[in-house]
Amino acid sequence: MTSPLFEARGLTKHFKVGGNLSRKSLHAVDDVSLVINPREIVALVGESGSGKSTIARLLARVYEPTSGEIRYQGKSLRSMRTRRQTMAYRSDVPMVFQDPFSSLNPAFRVSHGIMRGLKLHRPDLGRAERRAEALRVVEAVGLSPAAEILDRYPYELSGGQRQRIGFAQALAYRPKVILADEPVSMLDVSIRVGLLNLMTALRADEGVSFLYITHDLASARYVSDRLLVMYAGHIVESGPTESVLADPKHPYTQLLLSAAPDPRTPLEVSGSDIGEPPRVIDPSPGCRFRWRCPLAIDRCAIEDPLLRELGPQHSAACHVASAVADAVSAE
Amino acid sequence: MPSDRVLDVRGLTVEYGTDAGAVVAVDNVDLHVGPGEFVGVVGESGCGKSTLLFAIARLLSPPAAITAGTVDFRGDNLAAMSEKELNVLRWRDLSVVMQSAMNALNPVKSIGAQFRDTLVAHGNAKAEIANRSVEVLKLVGIDPIHLRSYPHQLSGGMRQRAMIAMALLFTPELVIMDEPTSALDVVAQRSLMVQIKELQERLGFAVLFVTHDMSLVSHFSDRLVVMYAGQVVESGPTRTVFDQPAHPYSRGLLDAFPSIRGPRLHLTGIPGRPPELRNPPSGCRFHPRCPVEMGHCKAIAPDLYPVGTSHARCLQHVPAADTAAVMP
């Protein structure tokens, strides 16, 4: 077993909301622990406001955590203080953003973004080597002819091509983990699959890990090895993708799964849940899903459920699911 | 006009005037909606689906303009009506639900005030206004207390519901919807779709629903119209289009959705990118991306040919009798 690339423990991020005198805080991420292994694609799934992008930003060091610790290759992020360490970290863990129309500078050619990154993060390369490397990464993301693409402006590219450039920029730094925040949700259906295939190809060819953030369970299933389901700042279920989707333990995962449209199967009409977002401003103790949960019991309003292993590497944070598991093992 | 149609669009063409000449965004589209029918229009960005819908509702603004065709709504041609005549129909007989309720609702007016404006414009009495507003909010599952709320005080799902309530203030025969669920989460999206369908069955209005997400309408629409590069490329009963897509583009779109149940298959999507309408490909507009392109697709522009209960714009489906005429 190789040691994990990322290991987060008790990761928490609160944001102050309201005016200067306000003491309210928004619990975007609460007590989250997660692991990303080398050459692994981990999907982080949840609805908007569940805290999944905040996790990506914590891992990218855009935000400092309120509490908790992130270790990268065994070293705490807090201990990386020097500019050199910070730069090395940023080139190991780049981000790819959701909107390919606003994440590239429209005033410069495509080559500008890639070359600048190379100059900054890999100063050992000479001019010709930089050019060669830029050509290599553009080809690696499936764009050709690479030389011609490098000389284009972003407006000359389609959405799918721009998003590929986003991946090429990330790739130029020789990354270990790419944090991809909803990379395909703005793209047309017919080109999404190409980008998802690109992620698996980059893992195979370049050995990169991915944290794939999405609200779309079907695409998460398509690319990922492991699945983390978030609700209201907590991870409520985690495990190997197939086992989570084949046998979802948490009622929220079950709800998400039943709401995902699939033209190949008939419609299951489920409950009257209208998809109201959770309230995470100064939440009271207890399970945050209990307001919407069809299975909620008294205990759910008193005690926070903790993630507990209910199957091989498959955990869920639900009092009811763990009571069911206890009953089954007692038999 | 056959009386079994609420909406009958024929040969509708919309052009955008640009410096480089006219761009045809909607090209000779035929479409009809029966009473109480749910028709889905699907296609990728830039295929002209929203322009088509705006043209039908007469909401186009320059440089876009209808250059040909008729939009028959219960016997009247909307395309030839004056604004004054349209104002009588709008909201009362024909209403539109926009993609983003945040932008479609007035941010500085309460929901109730916006409902009132609409009702007053059609000459409703004061007493009736309050009753009707409460009624429609209840209809979509919002507590009537929110008549006093401003749009920013509602969640995304509630705003979309309020928009739908507004569209149902009168008893319209046709509600046109432009991706009303695209800003919502899966759970909210699904619940809104179920609700639209229930309301439709209860109140009996017809729906023309535009979306880029084919899987979203798969369980709700009666008929599907697939658009590509400004043209209708396939139309037919929803289940038929899903089970036996007749056009290679519809098949490609369907195969681009990863399945959430069933076997985990490797997918390829559709190679290439949608064409620019400024300069559409010759012959069949899909030929550069088509996996079954046959030499003559480059040269011959296909028509819509009948395939079972559907129609498809593909040379594979030229009726035997016409083969000689179409393919010399």
Side-chain angles (χ1 to χ4, degrees):
Chain A
M1 185 71 195
T2 46
S3 58
L5 270 178
F6 264 116
E7 212 178 351
R9 264 178 219 288
L11 198 58
T12 301
K13 178 71 190 173
H14 294 176
F15 293 99
K16 238 175 78 91
V17 288
N20 277 336
L21 297 172
S22 162
R23 289 198 180 177
K24 285 185 187 164
S25 72
L26 185 145
H27 295 218
V29 171
D30 251 343
D31 194 21
V32 161
S33 298
L34 62 89
V35 166
I36 301 174
N37 292 308
R39 301 180 80 96
E40 189 180 36
I41 301 183
V42 178
L44 184 59
V45 181
E47 57 192 16
S48 35
S50 62
K52 50 193 198 304
S53 292
T54 306
I55 288 196
R57 288 178 191 164
L58 285 168
L59 294 183
R61 298 189 77 181
V62 175
Y63 298 147
E64 281 295 312
T66 307
S67 67
E69 188 182 40
I70 305 171
R71 290 181 162 273
Y72 173 68
Q73 293 184 324
K75 272 171 69 183
S76 168
L77 289 196
R78 281 181 205 276
S79 73
M80 296 184 190
R81 291 260 167 239
T82 65
R83 181 174 152 81
R84 234 182 75 194
Q85 285 171 322
T86 308
M87 291 288 283
Y89 180 75
R90 293 210 193 286
S91 72
D92 273 9
V93 190
M95 266 184 106
V96 173
F97 299 95
Q98 177 172 15
D99 183 0
F101 294 89
S102 62
S103 59
L104 298 177
N105 190 331
F108 292 98
R109 292 177 200 276
V110 165
S111 56
H112 176 85
I114 298 178
M115 301 290 232
R116 230 180 117 155
L118 281 168
K119 212 168 180 174
L120 201 61
H121 288 290
R122 293 170 67 184
D124 50 310
L125 298 184
R127 182 184 283 270
E129 287 166 309
R130 277 204 297 276
R131 178 82 188 171
E133 181 66 8
L135 289 170
R136 184 189 76 82
V137 293
V138 169
E139 260 165 35
V141 296
L143 294 175
S144 66
E148 202 179 293
I149 297 278
L150 278 176
D151 284 337
R152 295 217 187 136
Y153 286 95
Y155 75 85
E156 295 174 285
L157 303 175
S158 68
Q161 288 175 320
R162 290 188 211 197
Q163 201 56 302
R164 281 174 195 266
I165 294 297
F167 278 104
Q169 286 186 356
L171 210 57
Y173 313 150
R174 299 231 162 131
K176 300 283 196 301
V177 186
I178 294 179
L179 306 172
D181 192 355
E182 302 258 21
V184 301
S185 63
M186 303 269 291
L187 304 178
D188 271 316
V189 175
S190 71
I191 39 190
R192 277 185 200 173
V193 172
L195 263 297
L196 297 177
N197 287 340
L198 173 65
M199 285 168 56
T200 45
L202 292 180
R203 187 250 301 263
D205 303 340
E206 314 259 338
V208 188
S209 296
F210 283 91
L211 179 68
Y212 172 53
I213 294 180
T214 181
H215 61 269
D216 177 16
L217 271 180
S219 72
R221 177 182 184 222
Y222 186 71
V223 294
S224 71
D225 310 308
R226 258 183 331 114
L227 192 62
L228 309 174
V229 182
M230 276 197 90
Y231 185 77
H234 287 298
I235 288 181
V236 295
E237 183 153 2
S238 75
T241 305
E242 282 304 301
S243 108
V244 171
L245 293 179
D247 181 20
K249 307 280 189 196
H250 197 282
Y252 178 64
T253 317
Q254 293 165 3
L255 175 69
L256 270 186
L257 199 58
S258 76
D262 190 340
R264 295 172 186 85
T265 53
L267 180 76
E268 309 163 32
V269 177
S270 64
S272 55
D273 195 290
I274 57 165
E276 280 301 294
R279 302 208 161 81
V280 285
I281 294 173
D282 294 329
S284 54
C287 176
R288 291 177 188 175
F289 186 60
R290 65 180 187 275
W291 318 105
R292 290 168 69 181
C293 184
L295 308 174
I297 51 175
D298 292 345
R299 191 175 168 199
C300 303
I302 304 161
E303 197 184 331
D304 272 352
L306 298 176
L307 267 182
R308 185 187 143 188
E309 193 157 340
L310 302 174
Q313 295 167 38
H314 182 171
S315 314
C318 175
H319 293 310
V320 178
S322 75
V324 169
D326 286 340
V328 170
S329 64
E331 268 173 26
Chain B
M1 185 209 81
S3 57
D4 60 337
R5 290 177 178 180
V6 173
L7 182 75
D8 197 0
V9 176
R10 286 183 190 270
L12 191 63
T13 302
V14 180
E15 293 182 7
Y16 283 83
T18 68
D19 295 343
V23 173
V24 182
V26 173
D27 189 3
N28 198 14
V29 167
D30 290 341
L31 181 114
H32 60 93
V33 183
E37 199 181 22
F38 193 123
V39 176
V41 178
V42 301
E44 297 179 277
S45 44
C47 75
K49 56 186 191 303
S50 291
T51 306
L52 169 67
L53 185 147
F54 273 53
I56 292 173
R58 283 288 309 273
L59 294 170
L60 291 175
S61 46
I66 298 176
T67 52
T70 56
V71 179
D72 206 317
F73 178 67
R74 305 182 317 170
D76 303 317
N77 183 7
L78 292 182
M81 275 190 185
S82 67
E83 280 297 310
K84 212 170 163 186
E85 290 168 309
L86 283 167
N87 282 342
V88 179
L89 293 180
R90 282 176 176 158
W91 295 113
R92 202 189 69 192
D93 301 314
L94 161 88
S95 53
V96 181
V97 178
M98 294 291 180
Q99 180 165 11
S100 158
M102 195 60 210
N103 302 332
L105 291 168
N106 187 339
V108 296
K109 274 189 156 183
S110 68
I111 301 291
Q114 298 185 49
F115 283 12
R116 197 180 314 125
D117 282 353
T118 313
L119 288 162
V120 167
H122 287 278
N124 277 57
K126 222 173 193 172
E128 239 172 285
I129 288 173
N131 287 340
R132 187 62 192 158
S133 303
V134 168
E135 230 171 84
V136 289
L137 267 199
K138 280 188 179 158
L139 210 56
V140 297
I142 298 179
D143 191 325
I145 200 163
H146 286 298
L147 280 176
R148 290 162 179 235
S149 298
Y150 289 84
H152 75 270
Q153 294 169 310
L154 306 180
S155 71
M158 279 165 90
R159 280 200 291 268
Q160 280 301 359
R161 261 181 254 274
M163 271 306 291
I164 291 171
M166 192 152 158
L168 300 178
L169 275 174
F170 302 93
T171 42
E173 274 183 66
L174 177 68
V175 181
I176 296 178
M177 302 192 178
D178 184 13
E179 309 228 19
T181 65
S182 65
L184 305 177
D185 281 307
V186 270
V187 180
Q189 198 173 57
R190 165 59 174 279
S191 114
L192 194 65
M193 289 303 293
V194 170
Q195 195 168 35
I196 291 172
K197 190 72 192 171
E198 276 172 11
L199 286 171
Q200 190 212 358
E201 280 166 0
R202 215 160 92 208
L203 305 175
F205 53 88
V207 175
L208 185 64
F209 193 100
V210 167
T211 178
H212 68 279
D213 187 351
M214 225 172 166
S215 58
L216 182 71
V217 288
S218 60
H219 298 298
F220 301 100
S221 67
D222 302 310
R223 275 189 307 115
L224 265 189
V225 175
V226 183
M227 285 189 72
Y228 185 77
Q231 297 177 322
V232 173
V233 295
E234 179 161 358
S235 71
T238 305
R239 264 339 312 172
T240 315
V241 176
F242 274 99
D243 296 338
Q244 297 126 27
H247 196 281
Y249 176 67
S250 326
R251 173 166 296 277
L253 265 189
L254 280 171
D255 288 346
F257 284 105
S259 175
I260 197 151
R261 303 166 188 95
R264 209 159 149 170
L265 302 168
H266 182 79
L267 306 175
T268 45
I270 304 176
R273 56 195 273 195
E276 280 182 40
L277 293 170
R278 202 177 297 275
N279 192 10
S282 61
C284 170
R285 293 187 177 179
F286 187 58
H287 86 260
R289 300 173 76 190
C290 185
V292 293
E293 195 251 317
M294 317 172 273
H296 52 264
C297 295
K298 266 192 209 66
I300 306 166
D303 215 337
L304 272 172
Y305 307 111
V307 189
T309 47
S310 308
H311 284 79
R313 191 182 292 277
C314 177
L315 291 177
Q316 290 181 84
H317 301 295
V318 178
D322 301 347
T323 315
V326 177
M327 284 177 271

